[in-house]
Amino acid sequence: MIRKIIIGQNPKDALAYFVGMKAGEGSVVQIELDERTLSKTGDKCYDIYIEGEDGTMKWKRIENMPVVIEYDCRF
């Protein structure tokens, strides 16, 4: 499970999204690698989902960008 994604060439100046982060009226609830796109094209795409009053919806898609992934390491 992905806990945090950092997007950009230089992590110090990059954008970061993490589970629990506020996004407008909702908050980020899930970040996932799009396995279907990876298997079809070999491209790594990440989808970020938020949950708000209207339920859960896809909020952002990160395509072919340099990223640093931080996984949730709860045991």
Side-chain angles (χ1 to χ4, degrees):
M1 183 166 142
I2 299 173
R3 188 187 85 74
K4 182 177 184 179
I5 186 169
I6 302 168
I7 306 146
Q9 293 287 343
N10 181 354
K12 287 174 61 177
D13 299 323
L15 288 171
Y17 298 103
F18 56 91
V19 173
M21 177 181 168
K22 293 292 181 197
E25 297 295 319
S27 61
V28 175
V29 292
Q30 186 174 355
I31 304 168
E32 67 179 23
L33 173 64
D34 183 346
E35 299 281 348
R36 186 174 182 183
T37 300
L38 182 61
S39 67
K40 286 178 113 178
T41 66
D43 294 334
K44 288 189 177 179
C45 298
Y46 297 89
D47 294 322
I48 301 173
Y49 294 87
I50 60 171
E51 185 172 49
E53 291 180 12
D54 297 331
T56 302
M57 67 183 105
K58 189 185 294 188
W59 180 51
K60 291 191 181 276
R61 182 170 179 88
I62 311 303
E63 298 182 43
N64 297 320
M65 295 288 294
V67 299
V68 174
I69 301 295
E70 184 177 304
Y71 294 95
D72 189 356
C73 296
R74 291 185 207 168
F75 295 95

